[in-house]
Amino acid sequence: MTRPRVAVLDYGSGNLHSATRALEAAGADVILTADTAVCLDADGLVVPGVGAFAACMDGLIAVGGPQLVLRRLEAHRPVLGICVGHQVLFSLGVEHGDPVPGIGVLPGVVEELDAVPLPHMGWNTVVPPTASAMFAGVEDQRFYFVHSYGVHEVPDWPANARITWAEHGGDRFIAAVEQGALWSTQFHPEKSGEAGGRLLRNWLGTLRKET
């Protein structure tokens, strides 16, 4: 079987290489790149991210990342966002009182978790929806989180979206989203051991259906 071709968007984020290695181990041919043509042509595009929302948006804008994501989704081409790469898909990020527009393909505001301690760091369970393709085979597993911000509520959520929730310190937030060609996770599948590897293989399996 042909290995799917995956582009990991290179815009200066810190977890690019760990994501690349995990995708290779899961069965993809991976290229770390910001080349527009390569990112558009790849079977799948991965948008990782660590650090501040505003800094990640600045890096993405510098390489045309928002346009790449929008163009792929308009063409029903798979995109996977990870951690801050998940957060920037939403409409707005608010850190330290400063609102910064996101890519806006998902409704909702990224804001500080109302929980102690912060950051939310370590392994946690999630609550996926029924018949989730993302969590097939790992519905009851734990995943690795490192974050202080998340999305609590989702107004006007699209009917085709499937939302996975998690809780930290009594505060519930969105842990993952499946919406057509778009998948995204607040946690780090590339740091989540075998459960994370299975989730990445689940995503790669959707790419093989597209190719």
Side-chain angles (χ1 to χ4, degrees), residues 5 12 24 29 38 46 60 64 90 102 109 115 119 129 132 137 141 160 175 177 187 193-194 211:
R5 296 171 296 110
E24 289 173 341
D29 286 335
V38 174
V46 175
L60 285 167
F90 289 86
V109 178
S132 165
Q141 299 300 304
N160 67 331
V177 175
F187 55 85
E194 177 52 34
T211 55

Side-chain angles (χ1 to χ4, degrees), residues 22 25 31 39 56 68 170 172 203:
I31 181 169
C39 289
C56 283
L68 285 172
R172 193 177 79 144
W203 183 64

